[in-house]
Amino acid sequence: MKKESFAKKRMYPVVFMLLVTVAFISVTTVIYTFTKDTIKLNERLRLKQAVLYAGGTGLSSDPVEIEKAFDDRVEEIKDDSGRVRYYTIREEGTADIESYVVIQTGAGLWGEITAGVGFDRDLDSFRGLEIIDQNETPGLGGRIDEAWFKEQFMGKQPPLSSVPEGDPASENQFQAITGASYSTEAIQNIVNAAREYARTEIQGTE
Amino acid sequence: MKGYKVKKVFLEDLGVNNPVFIQVLGICSTLAVTNVLKNTVVMSVGLIFVTALSNVTVSWLRNIMPSRIRMMVETLIIASYVIIVDIVLKAYMPEVSRQLGPYVGLIITNCIIMGRAEAFALSNPPGLSFIDGIASGIGYSYVLVVIAIVRELMGSGSIWGYHILGDWWTNWSIMVMAPGAFFTLAIFIWVVKGIMYKREEGRSS
């Protein structure tokens, strides 16, 4: 076997790897830079949509409508550091508060679940629930993002507990997801924690 | 000659050299994403894209790439394409991206991509490697789609999210969970191989 020179044997692979790395990182950086703003806008729009949905406004998912409704009717109540504590949604065309929305994060099965939870103005019943971010098992726990599951929270009264899927639920109960007890429990904790938070944060200050 | 070769590579990846039921590669994602048809299809499209492009790139670099670091280079190439898919989905298809969540990133670990880069792209020209990538991707996809249809129908009573079976149907939760994929995949391989052996026997006698 021919003996390879030091440069060919040791240096070439290092230089080659370096060049390939630089080339690919440059390409991904360019693509990232071009799409960065779109991604941010998407995330912001998603949050606005979630607040309006959880607030029980019954708006469609049309982006233009959402932007307009959010600008007209929603106010972000912030603390001193600029963090949003909760959202207030006004009735259309009036100054009366229709509902409050709290963004609540809790532990799910694989990762955190972030949800928007809406309350009526007296905080004594739920206006809606929207899942903003979740990593539950698709097809099982992932079903917390299905419409039938989220819609059932409208008008329910805290504290909530669950009944098996398909069973009739009273005003303090919601239907669990079969095969996803942990995710169901996670949602139960989130909606009840959101209600506690709302009571101290919203009623405590007004 | 070339046309013949292209056709041969293409058909082999779909049948006698199928990545899922012959090479038994990519099983992890076969188990993970096949409980709902929609996720399966998006995963498949992503995989076809990444396999084809990484095959081309690896084949392109095959003559100047030092063989001792080839796996590092391949991993880098594959990871870059997957990140591109992830970014593009987030920017232009946010709904799909949200539903797939961590699965897009997991394309990186799909053994089919690395397997095709190692087994095919390293010793074939870019054009043919591209065809091989597409064909392997399709070979993977149609198996997954069949499994996903069975699992979603039996596990959730629906296909593509639309309820097909009425209220009389009791969902088989096990079909939605990983064991359901094992059963379905095993039955699929059993049937396909059975047909293949029958044919071979018919040919030899």
Side-chain angles (χ1 to χ4, degrees):
Chain A
M1 202 180 130
K2 201 184 79 182
K3 201 169 185 318
E4 287 179 324
S5 70
F6 177 78
K8 183 135 202 255
K9 195 176 164 196
R10 298 275 183 241
M11 294 310 291
Y12 180 63
V14 175
V15 174
F16 184 85
M17 192 67 209
L18 208 66
L19 288 179
V20 173
T21 311
V22 169
F24 272 92
I25 288 184
S26 312
V27 172
T28 42
T29 310
V30 168
I31 295 180
Y32 172 74
T33 319
F34 272 108
T35 53
K36 188 175 63 184
D37 296 334
T38 320
I39 292 175
K40 261 209 187 118
L41 277 177
N42 284 340
E43 280 168 3
R44 181 86 186 128
L45 179 69
R46 172 76 199 133
L47 180 73
K48 289 178 179 177
Q49 188 191 351
V51 168
L52 288 167
Y53 183 89
T57 51
L59 281 168
S60 72
S61 52
D62 177 46
V64 184
E65 232 175 88
I66 286 169
E67 293 287 351
K68 192 178 170 302
F70 195 89
D71 289 345
D72 291 350
R73 296 169 61 189
V74 179
E75 196 185 344
E76 296 173 324
I77 309 296
K78 295 178 179 171
D79 63 12
D80 296 336
S81 60
R83 200 181 59 89
V84 177
R85 287 162 58 217
Y86 57 90
Y87 298 84
T88 59
I89 303 179
R90 279 189 301 277
E91 265 173 54
E92 205 163 8
T94 68
D96 296 338
I97 287 176
E98 179 183 327
S99 55
Y100 294 99
V101 176
V102 168
I103 306 294
Q104 183 75 37
T105 298
L109 182 59
W110 302 114
E112 282 186 334
I113 300 174
T114 304
V117 187
F119 301 94
D120 68 0
R121 87 185 74 156
D122 305 319
L123 301 182
D124 57 12
S125 69
F126 289 100
R127 292 281 303 196
L129 169 76
E130 174 69 316
I131 310 296
I132 299 171
D133 193 31
Q134 54 98 359
N135 292 306
E136 301 309 286
T137 320
L140 285 173
R143 290 175 64 210
I144 56 172
D145 210 0
E146 285 181 2
W148 72 268
F149 183 77
K150 295 185 292 193
E151 279 163 6
Q152 62 175 330
F153 286 88
M154 195 173 281
K156 290 286 161 73
Q157 284 165 16
L160 283 180
S161 58
S162 64
V163 294
E165 187 174 340
D167 284 5
S170 76
E171 57 189 15
N172 296 113
Q173 293 170 323
F174 67 97
Q175 289 185 23
I177 293 168
T178 304
S181 323
Y182 198 92
S183 303
T184 305
E185 202 187 311
I187 292 297
Q188 183 182 324
N189 292 339
I190 285 172
V191 291
N192 287 331
R195 148 81 172 163
E196 281 308 305
Y197 179 86
R199 247 204 338 218
T200 51
E201 285 283 316
I202 302 170
Q203 274 179 346
T205 55
E206 281 178 13
Chain B
M1 178 65 198
K2 186 144 192 276
Y4 163 74
K5 221 175 168 185
V6 168
K7 202 175 156 197
K8 184 167 172 274
V9 165
F10 197 87
L11 291 179
E12 274 189 355
D13 284 335
L14 295 187
V16 294
N17 203 15
N18 186 284
V20 183
F21 59 78
I22 304 295
Q23 301 175 41
V24 198
L25 290 177
I27 295 304
C28 1
S29 53
T30 307
L31 302 182
V33 300
T34 53
N35 51 9
V36 181
L37 183 60
K38 208 177 194 174
N39 293 352
T40 312
V41 170
V42 179
M43 181 76 172
S44 298
V45 172
L47 186 106
I48 294 173
F49 175 83
V50 174
T51 321
L53 289 185
S54 69
N55 254 8
V56 171
T57 319
V58 169
S59 164
W60 210 25
L61 295 172
R62 74 187 190 283
N63 292 327
I64 53 168
M65 181 159 58
S67 70
R68 73 176 67 187
I69 60 161
R70 65 176 199 285
M71 290 226 171
M72 274 164 73
V73 177
E74 284 161 15
T75 311
L76 178 81
I77 293 170
I78 295 164
S80 304
Y81 283 125
V82 171
I83 291 169
I84 291 172
V85 170
D86 193 30
I87 294 176
V88 169
L89 279 183
K90 268 195 188 133
Y92 303 108
M93 299 168 81
E95 273 302 305
V96 175
S97 168
R98 216 163 62 81
Q99 273 175 5
L100 282 183
Y103 286 134
V104 180
L106 284 179
I107 296 178
I108 297 176
T109 60
N110 194 310
C111 348
I112 293 172
I113 308 175
M114 194 78 160
R116 290 328 285 170
E118 278 281 300
F120 197 91
L122 277 179
S123 47
N124 285 288
L128 208 55
S129 298
F130 180 76
I131 299 294
D132 178 73
I134 298 267
S136 291
I138 296 174
Y140 164 87
S141 305
Y142 83 81
V143 177
L144 257 70
V145 165
V146 170
I147 294 174
I149 289 175
V150 173
R151 288 184 69 191
E152 192 178 341
L153 192 63
M154 299 182 81
S156 315
S158 59
I159 286 177
W160 200 267
Y162 296 105
H163 277 273
I164 305 276
L165 302 175
D167 292 333
W168 54 271
W169 175 259
T170 308
N171 292 342
W172 298 19
S173 287
I174 195 160
M175 291 309 270
V176 181
M177 294 185 273
F182 275 115
F183 297 143
T184 322
L185 179 64
I187 293 170
F188 189 94
I189 294 180
W190 179 28
V191 170
V192 169
K193 287 226 164 167
I195 296 172
M196 275 182 170
Y197 285 137
K198 274 255 165 71
R199 269 202 201 157
E200 247 165 53
E201 270 171 18
R203 218 172 285 159
S204 57
S205 61

